[in-house]
Amino acid sequence: MKTLTRELWFCTEKEREFLNITPVIENLVQESGVKEGLCLVNAMHITASVFINDDESGLHHDFDVWLEKLAPHEPVSSYRHNVGEINADAHMKRQIMGREVVVAVTEGKLHFGPWEQIFYGEFDGCRKKRVLVKIIGE
């Protein structure tokens, strides 16, 4: 069995941002030499997420608006977590968008459905955070 483990680091310029990391993950699959297996991509911070969806700017805007309605940043006084930090909403946004994705590797490539891409979602940005990538298979 072959394996590859990498940590990717991100430091976004915005508080909330969605980054398409599919090309980076595709390169890691190639580097791994795995032809048939699985690829795990996991956000290692509790105010960031990894998810699969369409790479369409209108959809990303809609996600941002929707998440802000579900877990608004203001008023920060409405959250008990906001003692010393004001990022309770970021924890909730991460919970909604998810922690990780697993994608099948088939014939040496990520096995996606139509339009699927992998995204890093940042909800408490402007500081360094990591994503774990683990590829296993034959």
Side-chain angles (χ1 to χ4, degrees):
M1 181 168 68
K2 297 176 183 176
T3 66
L4 181 134
T5 304
R6 289 286 189 284
E7 289 184 352
L8 308 175
W9 289 88
F10 299 96
C11 187
T12 63
E13 294 180 15
K14 300 177 187 173
E15 198 72 18
R16 290 195 313 268
E17 195 167 349
F18 302 121
L19 305 176
N20 186 334
I21 61 173
T22 307
V24 174
I25 306 305
E26 288 173 331
N27 288 338
L28 291 174
V29 169
Q30 290 297 310
E31 182 182 330
S32 75
V34 169
K35 299 297 181 199
E36 302 293 326
L38 297 171
C39 175
L40 167 74
V41 185
N42 176 52
M44 301 293 286
H45 295 268
I46 56 178
T47 57
S49 72
V50 172
F51 63 95
I52 292 178
N53 216 299
D54 193 355
D55 190 8
E56 195 272 311
S57 61
L59 179 62
H60 297 176
H61 170 80
D62 294 343
F63 278 149
D64 195 37
V65 170
W66 177 66
L67 289 168
E68 192 60 23
K69 286 179 185 175
L70 292 174
H73 180 67
E74 298 283 343
V76 295
S77 61
S78 67
Y79 297 106
R80 289 186 179 182
H81 173 71
N82 288 331
V83 178
E85 288 192 271
I86 54 169
N87 66 355
D89 67 300
H91 290 269
M92 293 177 190
K93 289 169 176 135
R94 184 271 180 104
Q95 197 66 24
I96 293 164
M97 295 303 285
R99 176 180 187 260
E100 79 273 325
V101 298
V102 176
V103 180
V105 175
T106 304
E107 297 178 358
K109 296 182 180 180
L110 294 170
H111 201 145
F112 285 130
W115 309 110
E116 288 187 329
Q117 300 282 298
I118 302 172
F119 293 89
Y120 170 75
E122 177 59 70
F123 308 113
D124 185 29
C126 307
R127 56 181 168 174
K128 195 172 177 183
K129 296 183 185 172
R130 68 191 160 126
V131 168
L132 172 70
V133 180
K134 182 80 158 186
I135 303 164
I136 60 171
E138 296 296 324

